[in-house]
Amino acid sequence: MYPSTGAVSKMKYKDYYKTMGLPRTATQAQIKAAHRKLARKYHPDLNKDPDAEEKFKDVAEAYEVLKDPEKRAAYDQLGEAPQGGEFRPPPGWEEHFSQGPGPSRGRGTYSSASEADFSDFLDELFRSQGAGSRGASSRAGSERPMAGQDQHAMIVIDLEDAFTGAQRTINLQVPVIDEQGRVAMQPRVLTVSIPKGIRAGQRLRLAGQGLPGYGGGPAGDLYLEIQWRDHSLYRVDDRDLSLELPVAPWEAALGATVTVPTPQGRVDLSIPSNSADGKRLRLKGRGLPAASPSAAAGDLYVVLKVVFPKANTDAAKAAYQALRDATRFDPRANFPG
Amino acid sequence: MTSKNNRCLQGEIVEESVQFSLTELCRASGATEDQLKLWVAEGALEPQGEFELHSRATRTWVFSGSALRRAVIAHRLESELEVNPAGVALALDLLDQIEDLRRRR
């Protein structure tokens, strides 16, 4: 993954100033302020946009370099390359670095690949101490037994999985320490049972599946945070589900029996006559099941959405005109004046 | 630890069936005991039942499983954005409000 020499000849140039929205002449104070602002804006806990985490990492990587005057000077020496272009660093540029890349952010959440979060570009830039040693643990070789670290990761499941329980295979990147005390990321595949009744935002604890202990200490635990895969039909609120049900005007006015999908299969739902648009009908116990037998299952709310056929034929127009004449309906009767 | 493991692992749902002592919550969230104590003092986290804030009482604190989510977010806000304990408490409350609004939409 990190070839020993000459590997820097081709790589994607990253414009850290552009990432931070700053000119190359920015002061250290401006860089710090821009980082604060962008980090808050894109922090994955504060911004639910799917791209936020990626942007947050880009900003963190840019700041990692620009906040340190020595690294910034070395980066500036690379010169400006066209965005996304490949470039060849000037000869001997690596000698500018006397230090390693500094402490890693050590996120340890969302994905377990905390030390591998930064780009290959940064890894190559500060390769002088070996990218693999970033965040290396001083605990390697320690004789005293120590418990392994807990790990956190995210798992995306389907709504249907919570009804029946399911098995899911997950891929983790776990840091492994080699004989030289360096950290390398290794893939790890686990099959996990998803218990019935689990919900998004909850965490599943897998005892002893975190990082291994040291010197005979116990392994840490693995925590999997549950997220729903977006569902085309249902909205989720805790254990309750809601489903938007399109109905024709005559179904809403006259009443009807309509077949509606539920996660446990289709059911016939009777719509009372004179139902207004937006009316909520509750199917008790048809929401997400509870995890424990003592708790109640959620409900499924069917929300009526009255949709109208277009008046694009003579017959349809005549039908609307007949409705107008028959009802003398004034939808704005309660407007003043 | 092997890199491949086909046995199906059974877990427990933290919010349903797990409680944490201060030490356990510290380990699971990655925060230090001092950080957790400061967050409790700010009301960002609350041990279950009646609890006391003096130093000897912290050994008797019991947190519900849902405290882990809050502690993890608090830890990230502090380490990545340098938010102080009062700011952490405010951010967590505002995040709860946003979540409520999102649901009611």
Side-chain angles (χ1 to χ4, degrees), chain A residues 249-250 253 308 316-329:
Chain A
W250 49 90
F308 296 84
K317 281 178 193 162
Y320 275 114
Q321 283 156 1
L323 182 62
R324 178 192 61 200
D325 298 341
T327 58
R328 297 278 159 212
F329 175 56

Side-chain angles (χ1 to χ4, degrees), chain A residues 67-109:
Chain A
K67 75 175 178 190
D68 180 332
E70 240 185 278
K71 287 186 199 167
R72 184 183 173 192
Y75 173 78
D76 286 349
Q77 279 226 329
L78 299 177
E80 229 168 328
Q83 176 67 15
E86 283 168 350
F87 78 108
R88 188 180 290 272
W93 63 277
E94 267 180 286
E95 290 158 19
H96 291 288
F97 307 106
S98 51
Q99 305 154 349
S104 95
R105 278 170 52 248
R107 182 166 191 79
T109 48

